[in-house]
Amino acid sequence: MSAWPTDPAEFRSAVREWCRTHVPRDWRRAQTGVPEKEYVAFQHDWFQELRRADLAVPHWPAEWGGGMSAAAQTVLYQELAAADAPRLVLAFVAIHHAASTLMVAGTDEQRARHLPAILDGEIWVQGFSEPGAGSDLASLRTTARRHGDRYVVNGHKIWASGAVHADWCLLLARTDPQAPKRRGISYLLLDMRSPGVDVRPIRQATGDSHFAEIFLDDVTVPAANLVGNENEGWRVAQATLGAERGVTMLELAERLGNAGFRWLVEACGARRSDGTRPLDDPRVQERLGAFETEIAALRALCRAHVERAAAGTTGPADASVVKLCYSELLQRVTDFGVEISGPAAHTVLRKPLSSGWESGAWMLDFVSSWEWTIPGGSSEIQRTIIGERGLGLPREPGAA
């Protein structure tokens, strides 16, 4: 059981003191331009530091090492952001997407196998998107043929975050090609060390290779790794996407509202070569005020979503609303940071690994911000979900 205080004010004070003594000093400088091997080691060490303090998976049930209330999670992420702590970038899919899926739809054996391993540092990747089936997952063509107690998988996944380092993959594959598009898909757990798995990094506009392609050539997956029922993977995938679009946003919104906005205010207050400051311009003041208001609204929206998720009262489109608001606000904030910083924004060619999308390296942050309006369901997909499931509008013509 966690030894953290239950009183909100005492908890905040205790977390703040913990951050003061445990957040690695000067990690931004040390993580800029660092080799991949050192980045992975740093991520592992920081995850274990948080785990020893019962702060790594606050959103998990208590029996698995979490059990923190929605209010306490908010305080935790506020304090981590205020202390400029590193993000758990490599563990992100494991502790959110994989864990939430296993808890909702996994078997007891799957949970017992993977949840402790995730706490030990097992890294996961999400194998949903394909060439020709990005946001339209129902069009995926990767196949899984059942042969006795195993599946044989063939196909091609793309835009897989962190696949180069992943131990396991959340894989969607078509098990019934004759069924309607959404009804012939199954959800499998793929060991990335299986023969026939080939991972190829994708070099991005920022110079990084956060994404990768995964090629699957006669890969064998035990039938015991099926999550949910065969051909009902679409429904299981909604648990994964719900985590990606909803609860994860609490941390990201707090970071945008804390470190991100702080970077923006500092950029506006920096003096130019002529001695003036962008902040002296009333139009800049107005835009800063508007951003502060929008960020405050986003943070409130995320907190409300986490509270509803804990109470089991989330609506069918709530996660899409949160994801849409965060991703498009992030894009506007980083765009403004580029505008305010002027030509200097284009000279920063590296940002610290283990940071988020609000590092203060404005051009890189802006380019990276587009990650959020495309994967996990593009903004167009989110609007469709909000219209159909949230507002009850007629289904899009031609949708299966």
Side-chain angles (χ1 to χ4, degrees), residues 23 32-33 44 82 106 163 165 208 227 278 331:
V23 171
T32 301
H44 180 270
H165 305 293
D208 297 328
V227 182
Q331 213 161 78

Side-chain angles (χ1 to χ4, degrees), residues 171-191:
L171 184 76
L172 287 181
R174 190 165 296 285
T175 41
D176 184 354
Q178 307 304 320
K181 291 169 65 175
R182 295 181 181 176
R183 297 177 185 168
I185 295 172
S186 293
Y187 199 116
L188 300 169
L189 307 178
L190 167 66
D191 186 340

Side-chain angles (χ1 to χ4, degrees), residues 4 10 132 134 178 181 192 208 221 233 292 298 333 360 383 386 397:
W4 290 98
E10 292 180 5
Q178 307 304 320
K181 291 169 65 175
M192 292 293 283
D208 297 328
V221 177
E292 186 172 26
L298 172 69
V333 167
R383 288 189 169 88
I386 293 167

Side-chain angles (χ1 to χ4, degrees), residues 194 205 261 304:
S194 303
F261 190 68

Side-chain angles (χ1 to χ4, degrees), residues 43-371:
Q43 281 281 303
H44 180 270
D45 291 347
W46 176 233
F47 184 43
Q48 295 309 312
E49 189 75 62
L50 289 164
R51 181 189 178 187
R52 284 190 288 273
D54 293 327
L55 298 176
V57 289
H59 55 293
W60 286 19
E63 63 185 289
W64 293 107
M68 199 173 285
S69 69
Q73 290 179 53
T74 299
V75 170
L76 171 62
Y77 289 124
Q78 285 175 341
E79 292 303 320
L80 288 172
D84 194 27
R87 287 194 64 239
L88 292 176
V89 180
L90 277 182
F92 192 71
V93 173
I95 64 176
H96 290 291
H97 307 55
S100 63
T101 304
L102 292 171
M103 289 173 188
V104 170
T107 64
D108 290 341
E109 291 76 14
Q110 288 168 348
R111 284 188 283 269
R113 159 65 182 84
H114 291 293
L115 294 180
I118 288 173
L119 289 175
D120 287 338
E122 195 170 71
I123 299 171
W124 284 68
V125 62
Q126 187 169 307
F128 283 15
S129 296
E130 297 181 5
S135 288
D136 181 19
L137 287 178
S139 296
L140 65 84
R141 289 184 288 186
T142 292
T143 60
R145 308 289 188 197
R146 182 77 179 254
H147 295 277
D149 62 352
R150 62 193 176 98
Y151 291 92
V152 177
V153 182
N154 284 280
H156 177 192
K157 297 292 178 178
I158 197 168
W159 309 124
S161 305
V164 172
H165 305 293
D167 303 299
W168 285 83
C169 176
L170 301 169
L171 184 76
L172 287 181
R174 190 165 296 285
T175 41
D176 184 354
Q178 307 304 320
K181 291 169 65 175
R182 295 181 181 176
R183 297 177 185 168
I185 295 172
S186 293
Y187 199 116
L188 300 169
L189 307 178
L190 167 66
D191 186 340
M192 292 293 283
R193 293 161 296 190
S194 303
V197 176
D198 182 16
V199 179
R200 302 177 191 175
I202 299 173
R203 187 172 175 80
Q204 299 157 222
T206 58
D208 297 328
S209 296
H210 178 61
F211 294 116
E213 295 178 272
I214 304 173
F215 294 87
L216 305 162
D217 183 12
D218 284 338
V219 177
T220 297
V221 177
N225 288 10
L226 175 70
V227 182
N229 296 324
E230 187 173 279
N231 296 327
E232 295 182 7
W234 180 266
R235 188 167 58 184
V236 179
Q238 302 315 304
T240 310
L241 294 171
E244 182 178 28
R245 295 168 182 168
V247 176
T248 59
M249 298 296 163
L250 176 61
E251 177 203 357
L252 299 177
E254 291 301 331
R255 287 184 178 274
L256 180 62
N258 203 307
F261 190 68
R262 190 167 65 232
W263 288 116
L264 193 62
V265 171
E266 288 181 6
C268 292
R271 293 196 180 278
R272 305 186 183 102
S273 57
D274 62 359
T276 64
R277 306 180 308 164
L279 194 57
D280 297 329
D281 186 335
R283 292 170 297 181
V284 170
Q285 296 172 16
E286 184 177 343
R287 291 186 69 180
L288 268 182
F291 278 132
E292 186 172 26
T293 302
E294 280 194 81
I295 290 171
L298 172 69
R299 296 167 81 175
L301 182 66
C302 290
R303 288 196 293 272
H305 180 71
V306 171
E307 289 168 359
R308 286 197 298 272
T313 59
T314 51
D318 288 2
S320 292
V321 172
V322 172
K323 199 241 181 191
L324 186 65
C325 289
Y326 170 76
S327 58
E328 299 202 344
L329 178 56
L330 174 70
Q331 213 161 78
R332 292 198 302 277
V333 167
T334 52
D335 184 25
F336 187 56
V338 172
E339 178 184 335
I340 288 298
S341 299
H346 298 261
T347 64
V348 180
L349 303 179
R350 287 180 173 177
K351 59 184 282 187
L353 298 176
S354 303
S355 65
W357 291 269
E358 63 298 310
S359 71
W362 291 112
M363 179 52 73
L364 298 180
D365 285 343
F366 174 64
V367 173
S368 298
S369 73
W370 286 84
E371 293 178 22

